[in-house]
Amino acid sequence: KERELNYPVVATDFVLMEDGTGIVHMAPAYGEVDYQAGGDNDLDFVHVVDLQGKMMGSYPFAGKFVKEADPLILDDLKSRGLLFRSEKIRHTYPFCWRCEAPLLYYAKQTWYIKTTAVKESLIAGNKEINWYPEHIKYGRFGDWLENNVDWAFSRERYWGTPLNIWRCESCSKYDCVGSVEELENKSGFTGLREPLDLHRPFVDELTFDCPQCGAKMRRVPEVIDCWFDSGAMPVAQWHYPFDAESKTMLNDGRFPADYICEAVDQTRGWFYSLHA
Ligand SMILES: [Zn+2]
Ligand SMILES: [Zn+2]
């Protein structure tokens, strides 16, 4: 469905006067600064491209891949006397590293851990870490903590630790399941096969009844950022909180980890997820 949109002109600070006209078009659904400016200025948020990168709507170029639609959009503008000038400009662009397909930035919903809620304790905890080399502490790692943003921790891939959230097919109620035992005790639980394997595809067969409406609860399709697994090392190696000997681990000296050694790129990978 199409609706009336607004086309306001807004002032922002990310457009430079050095290049071009100093005016850029904005598409809040297709770029980070555009998205932020859209939120700040209450711009319409509209998707005109689907997840396959094809134009939606009832335009003459609907159904075309965006790059194939480009010349058709220009033709359309020209035929309606709306085109001022058209030219090719060389600039950087993201491509798939495997198949070299051009990629699009695309705003969509995802799962986050609200790390900003514990930002102060992340910063305080960093003061107790001995960093070698020392400049990482308030440099690369400290800066990262100071500029903390919520952790987008779900991934749309097949392999990985499955995100342990089930969603009702009918009323959309969510349930975050914390153990196999909890799952097995759900009313209407079914789909378990021996030997137990909690990865895809097996985990996606595990369903139970929605406590709210009785319809089927299914796992959401996402898996978890692999750095979440890495960061769980201190507790996961003791199978906390499930094994009897693991119960006291948070207070008996086994937590946090004493020592880790890695390359500097891990400040934003393993070091961070371990710390968070
Ligand atoms: Zn590809
Ligand atoms: Zn329900």
Side-chain angles (χ1 to χ4, degrees):
K1 58 187 182 280
E2 274 151 45
R3 59 189 169 88
E4 284 296 310
L5 301 175
N6 294 314
Y7 299 95
V9 177
V10 300
T12 67
D13 58 9
F14 59 79
V15 186
L16 304 176
M17 294 301 288
E18 280 83 78
D19 287 314
T21 56
I23 302 170
V24 294
H25 95 285
M26 284 195 293
Y30 307 104
E32 192 179 358
V33 288
D34 298 45
Y35 182 83
Q36 272 158 8
D40 293 346
N41 295 284
D42 205 20
L43 303 183
D44 289 314
F45 181 91
V46 201
H47 267 307
V48 290
V49 178
D50 67 14
L51 282 170
Q52 308 307 316
K54 292 183 177 157
M55 299 295 302
M56 300 190 293
S58 56
Y59 308 103
F61 36 83
K64 296 272 184 204
F65 183 62
V66 285
K67 294 291 166 192
E68 288 158 21
D70 279 349
L72 304 176
I73 293 170
L74 288 172
D75 287 348
D76 183 62
L77 290 171
K78 202 182 291 173
S79 72
R80 292 192 284 143
L82 297 171
L83 190 67
F84 173 66
R85 195 172 82 192
S86 146
E87 63 184 302
K88 285 204 166 130
I89 294 176
R90 237 182 134 85
H91 61 97
T92 59
Y93 196 86
F95 290 89
C96 172
W97 62 275
R98 279 185 171 163
C99 68
E100 298 181 349
L103 303 174
L104 293 177
Y105 285 99
Y106 198 98
K108 61 197 297 264
Q109 290 197 320
T110 189
W111 294 89
Y112 287 85
I113 293 180
K114 198 174 182 182
T115 52
T116 50
V118 293
K119 180 178 161 180
E120 294 313 316
S121 59
L122 290 174
I123 291 169
N126 184 35
K127 294 191 176 128
E128 293 167 32
I129 302 173
N130 293 316
W131 282 95
Y132 295 94
E134 213 174 333
H135 65 83
I136 303 285
K137 183 169 183 164
Y138 297 114
R140 203 179 148 96
F141 195 66
D143 285 344
W144 176 247
L145 297 180
E146 291 288 346
N147 296 303
N148 191 265
V149 292
D150 292 327
W151 181 3
F153 90 124
S154 61
R155 295 290 178 272
E156 292 178 47
R157 325 183 57 139
Y158 193 84
W159 299 107
T161 297
L163 183 59
N164 53 321
I165 293 171
W166 269 254
R167 181 172 181 265
C168 175
E169 285 180 333
S170 172
C171 75
S172 300
K173 181 187 167 57
Y174 287 106
D175 194 348
C176 181
V177 180
S179 68
V180 175
E181 191 186 351
E182 186 185 333
L183 201 51
E184 284 175 332
N185 288 319
K186 296 283 185 194
S187 148
F189 174 69
T190 178
L192 194 60
R193 283 203 261 167
E194 295 293 336
L196 179 67
D197 188 334
L198 291 175
H199 294 95
R200 300 182 78 181
F202 310 108
V203 70
D204 294 333
E205 291 166 19
L206 307 180
T207 61
F208 54 90
D209 297 338
C210 173
Q212 203 160 269
C213 77
K216 208 166 269 258
M217 300 281 287
R218 283 189 185 282
R219 199 186 69 80
V220 298
E222 290 89 356
V223 297
I224 299 177
D225 179 1
C226 66
W227 297 116
F228 183 91
D229 305 39
S230 312
M233 172 275 282
V235 285
Q237 67 177 337
W238 300 107
H239 202 218
Y240 176 83
F242 305 111
D243 282 9
E245 305 103 78
S246 76
K247 302 274 184 206
T248 57
M249 71 148 289
L250 293 183
N251 304 307
D252 64 9
R254 284 183 283 172
F255 181 85
D258 291 324
Y259 174 82
I260 54 172
C261 176
E262 266 289 352
V264 72
D265 57 289
Q266 293 298 329
T267 42
R268 285 155 197 200
W270 191 31
F271 294 167
Y272 172 62
S273 63
L274 196 63
H275 190 61

